[in-house]
Amino acid sequence: MPAVDHLVCFALYAANRTTTQAYRVLLEPWNLTYPQYIALVTLWTDGDQSVTSLGEALQLDSGTLSPMLARMEAAGYVTRTRRSADERVVTVSLTPRGTALRTELAHVPRCIAAGSGLPDVDSARELIDALHQLTEAMKDLRDHPEPVIAASRAPRTTA
Amino acid sequence: MPAVDHLVCFALYAANRTTTQAYRVLLEPWNLTYPQYIALVTLWTDGDQSVTSLGEALQLDSGTLSPMLARMEAAGYVTRTRRSADERVVTVSLTPRGTALRTELAHVPRCIAAGSGLPDVDSARELIDALHQLTEAMKDLRDHPEPVIAASRAPRTTA
DNA sequence: CCACATTAGGTTGTGCACAACAAAGTTGTA
DNA sequence: TACAACTTTGTTGTGCACAACCTAATGTGG
């Protein structure tokens, strides 16, 4: 077994890429990527909204979203219009075609859920909770990096 | 709470990016990225090896590794030499500088482990196992995509 | 030996991520 | 009303990921 397989970070990294690959197979007929799909899920569920709002939901910044939304607009799934009340804000709206995808892609979450190997909703929620906790812990670490003490003897786990 | 937060796939996606961001803070002084770091971990642990072997360990293909290893060679951390016995094979070897990083970066896994919020080695292993199982399930799905049956009523979980 | 398939690695093109920066609009305040 | 500070979005440059393709080297059957 490769050395990195003992690290939480690598298990996360590998699982994320493999999941993205599974989505790729499902989404390819619509020329959609996984990040584009979750943007659509957000728009379907929470409705048309600003770039910033979408970025907060997906935890992505404008450097990622601007080109991605431009591609989705070119594909005819969304439109981008500046609000007259505040010309800084761009509202991302679903087109009829983008709205129709909600029905066309209804099999996607079913395929993923059925193929996930997770036996029920509770085990899925447990995994989600564990990942959310890890995310929050890593945000702390990212935003408050402890000064490196060379001689530190922190408790040892294998993250 | 954003709609996508109920999906296993998004929890995975967000946790992976946030973990990478935490590593970025730790690795930035050495101009290393997270994928470069796990390549080094593999070389430190399993020794010099071919590009293919490294790709199997990290689950990455030559399209990703070739440019990355070229950057690591330019940084002076590894060398790439063709084997005389089989000129197709390139051996990736640690330079003295690359080997020295193992000591210099010894704080990195400690910082991540201490900041991960995982209380002990057992809980880390549980999470790793759950992620490995998910990875294998997603590999199955990726490699054997079931033909989409529009009327399928698969058991519902929220993956 | 020769034609062919196979294998290893590299190249090209597209799409995220993200840091750093730029530009335009809005707001608070002197 | 000026004008500096702030907000929102977009742009640029770098580095993964990965599909598709290419080349060189090796192996294999005839």
Side-chain angles (χ1 to χ4, degrees):
Chain A
M1 187 152 84
V4 288
D5 282 358
H6 300 290
L7 306 177
V8 172
C9 60
F10 182 76
L12 200 58
Y13 171 72
N16 180 57
R17 278 192 301 114
T18 310
T19 302
T20 301
Q21 289 162 10
Y23 270 98
R24 181 175 297 120
V25 174
L26 294 175
L27 296 174
E28 186 261 40
W30 287 266
N31 274 305
L32 282 171
T33 64
Y34 174 69
Q36 290 174 16
Y37 172 74
I38 57 171
L40 286 176
V41 169
T42 302
L43 292 170
W44 292 333
T45 308
D46 297 338
D48 300 350
Q49 57 196 283
S50 69
V51 173
T52 297
S53 167
L54 200 53
E56 284 168 3
L58 306 184
Q59 302 176 34
L60 292 170
D61 68 0
S62 71
T64 301
L65 286 177
S66 280
M68 190 179 92
L69 292 171
R71 282 185 287 271
M72 294 174 74
E73 183 168 41
Y77 296 144
V78 301
T79 58
R80 292 184 297 166
T81 49
R82 293 210 174 257
R83 285 186 198 162
S84 52
D86 184 342
E87 289 281 344
R88 292 171 302 179
V89 181
V90 169
T91 298
V92 181
S93 307
L94 287 166
T95 62
R97 184 79 193 90
T99 303
L101 288 184
R102 187 174 195 172
T103 306
E104 288 180 40
L105 296 178
H107 66 285
V108 170
R110 287 203 303 265
C111 285
I112 296 288
S116 70
L118 294 169
D120 50 38
V121 184
D122 285 343
S123 58
R125 180 169 300 280
E126 271 181 40
L127 183 52
I128 290 175
D129 288 346
L131 291 171
H132 280 171
Q133 284 178 32
L134 184 60
T135 301
E136 293 310 308
M138 289 294 123
K139 280 185 185 173
D140 279 356
L141 197 55
R142 173 196 66 187
D143 297 333
H144 312 295
E146 299 161 33
V148 177
I149 296 124
S152 80
R153 273 166 284 161
R156 281 188 159 252
T157 60
T158 51
Chain B
M1 188 152 80
V4 287
D5 281 357
H6 300 291
L7 306 177
V8 172
C9 60
F10 182 76
L12 201 57
Y13 170 73
N16 180 57
R17 277 192 301 114
T18 309
T19 301
T20 301
Q21 289 161 9
Y23 271 97
R24 182 175 297 122
V25 174
L26 294 176
L27 296 174
E28 187 259 43
W30 288 266
N31 273 304
L32 282 171
T33 64
Y34 174 70
Q36 292 175 14
Y37 172 75
I38 57 171
L40 287 176
V41 168
T42 302
L43 292 170
W44 292 333
T45 308
D46 297 339
D48 300 351
Q49 56 196 282
S50 69
V51 173
T52 298
S53 168
L54 200 53
E56 284 168 3
L58 305 184
Q59 301 176 34
L60 291 170
D61 68 2
S62 71
T64 301
L65 286 177
S66 281
M68 190 179 91
L69 293 171
R71 283 185 288 270
M72 293 174 76
E73 185 169 37
Y77 296 144
V78 301
T79 59
R80 291 185 298 166
T81 50
R82 293 210 174 256
R83 284 184 198 164
S84 52
D86 186 342
E87 290 280 345
R88 291 170 303 181
V89 181
V90 169
T91 299
V92 182
S93 308
L94 287 166
T95 62
R97 185 80 194 89
T99 303
L101 289 184
R102 188 174 195 172
T103 307
E104 289 181 39
L105 297 178
H107 66 284
V108 170
R110 286 204 303 265
C111 285
I112 296 289
S116 70
L118 295 168
D120 49 38
V121 185
D122 285 343
S123 58
R125 180 169 299 280
E126 271 182 43
L127 182 52
I128 291 175
D129 288 346
L131 291 170
H132 280 170
Q133 284 178 32
L134 183 60
T135 302
E136 292 310 308
M138 288 295 124
K139 280 185 185 173
D140 278 356
L141 197 55
R142 174 195 64 186
D143 298 333
H144 312 294
E146 297 161 34
V148 177
I149 295 123
S152 80
R153 272 166 283 160
R156 281 189 161 252
T157 59
T158 50

